[in-house]
DNA sequence: CCTACCGATCGGTAGG
DNA sequence: CCTACCGATCGGTAGG
């Protein structure tokens, strides 16, 4: 076990210019949109000259692809491991809501997630098909969660349309949530669970 | 009452090039986004040369402003007159859902509505403030509708966050609804009412 | 990863 | 509303 280059020791110091570019691109695509973001914006944000990002990515389109795939990957990973199987259905569902909202609204993932939601249409057909396949797999997890809720008698309908209404309520938060607002992300998750399920008999 | 120029007779024949431009711009802004749409795209779509749209609009930005304002105007007008005061709360609510969804997904209004929802950020601060003011007025109608539902004992919570979840479920339909799909717009409205209120005691 | 650059395209305008 | 055009900017590349 040599000490040098050990990943656990100093991964912070290793420069990762490709990662820097993806992060900067994500932020800019989120803020200004893909088409309105220039290579020069991105290069500038990471302290490069305008031609240098092309050393890491063949095209601007490839940068978008990297951002979008990171977005769907991150959210699927997070939500998949969120619900504890030992918990009752309602608590499991709320844990999934919390995980999704944290990824969507938290500092770490929001630029990737927002780019995924709003800029994917600028991908070429091949990359779009890739994204659709991953999204389908992700949303199947939610379909299953609704099925569990219905089996537990907590909701009346677990159809595809219901899932899409739920995804809308979730994903629309990107448009209005402000980190400095009065609600925490966890409060939002609890309110959304109540919106979908209804209060647990009280009131 | 002279017959010539009567509005009721031949409004179809009167050329309205400005309106043509707004409609074409709306369609293109919806399809490709504001930044990716060029003046040449728009001119082409209405059979003009690239310089001619500027005879009707000072800037590309002004075209976006016209499209977005048409979007919010149309939806506010439609939804405001949708609910019959003599109907019970649930039916009134469902009528509003139907009106909103028709505007959002129907052929006539969807390009304006989608541009309103997704391209408003490309407006300058002044125009954005204008849009926010109109949107606030529009959403106040929904806040009132939720208040009525709560008073009737049909929902548990009529807070601002609940309204935003509802707007999310509504507006997200733009992302997935296909006119050639298996659901009609009116069926969607009924399902969304059931999602928000719950079934009326049966099942 | 920088320097220096290219061809294409963009929003917009003058003059009719 | 067209013709003819402008300066600016864009994504991308060759050569180091």
């Amino acid at each position: 076990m040599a000490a040098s280059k050990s990943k656990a020791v100093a991964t912070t110091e290793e420069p990762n210019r490709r990662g820097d570019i993806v992060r900067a691109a994500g932020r800019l695509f989120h803020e200004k949109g893909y088409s309105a973001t220039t290579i020069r914006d991105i290069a500038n944000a990471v302290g490069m000259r305008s031609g240098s990002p092309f050393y890491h990515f063949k095209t601007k389109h490839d940068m978008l692809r990297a951002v979008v795939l990171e977005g769907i990957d991150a959210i699927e990973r997070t939500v998949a491991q969120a619900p504890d199987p030992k918990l009752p259905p309602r608590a499991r569902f709320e844990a999934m809501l919390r995980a999704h909202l944290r990824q969507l609204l938290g500092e770490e993932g929001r630029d990737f997630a927002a780019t995924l939601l709003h800029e994917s249409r600028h991908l070429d057909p091949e990359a779009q098909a890739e994204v659709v396949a991953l999204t389908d797999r992700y949303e199947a997890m939610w379909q299953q969660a609704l099925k569990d809720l219905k089996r537990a008698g907590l909701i009346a309908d677990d159809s595809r349309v219901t899932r899409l209404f739920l995804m809308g309520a979730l994903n629309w938060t990107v448009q209005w949530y402000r980190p400095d607002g009065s609600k925490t992300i966890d409060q939002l998750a609890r309110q959304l669970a109540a919106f979908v399920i209804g209060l647990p008999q009280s009131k």
Side-chain angles (χ1 to χ4, degrees), chain A residues 20-21 23-54 60 63:
Chain A
D20 293 343
I21 290 174
R23 265 187 302 278
R27 185 170 49 77
L28 288 160
F29 292 163
H30 178 197
E31 275 171 18
K32 327 203 317 174
Y34 173 71
S35 302
T37 299
T38 70
I39 295 292
R40 283 158 180 86
D41 291 334
I42 297 170
N44 229 308
V46 296
M48 287 177 176
R49 301 309 185 95
S50 72
S52 302
F54 292 107
K60 185 186 173 191
M63 296 180 202

Side-chain angles (χ1 to χ4, degrees), chain A residues 16-19 21 48 51-58 63:
Chain A
N16 177 5
R17 302 302 272 145
R18 192 180 192 276
I21 290 174
M48 287 177 176
S52 302
F54 292 107
Y55 174 77
H56 298 276
F57 290 91
K58 225 165 42 194
M63 296 180 202

Side-chain angles (χ1 to χ4, degrees), chain A residues 179-192:
Chain A
D180 52 323
S182 60
K183 301 271 176 200
T184 66
I185 292 174
D186 292 4
Q187 283 176 320
L188 239 49
R190 203 167 325 124
Q191 281 199 64
L192 184 48

Side-chain angles (χ1 to χ4, degrees), chain A residues 146 155 157-167 196:
Chain A
L146 289 177
I155 61 172
D157 175 42
D158 65 349
S159 63
R160 192 186 82 101
V161 171
T162 293
R163 188 196 83 225
L164 290 164
F165 288 151
L166 171 61
M167 298 318 282
V196 174

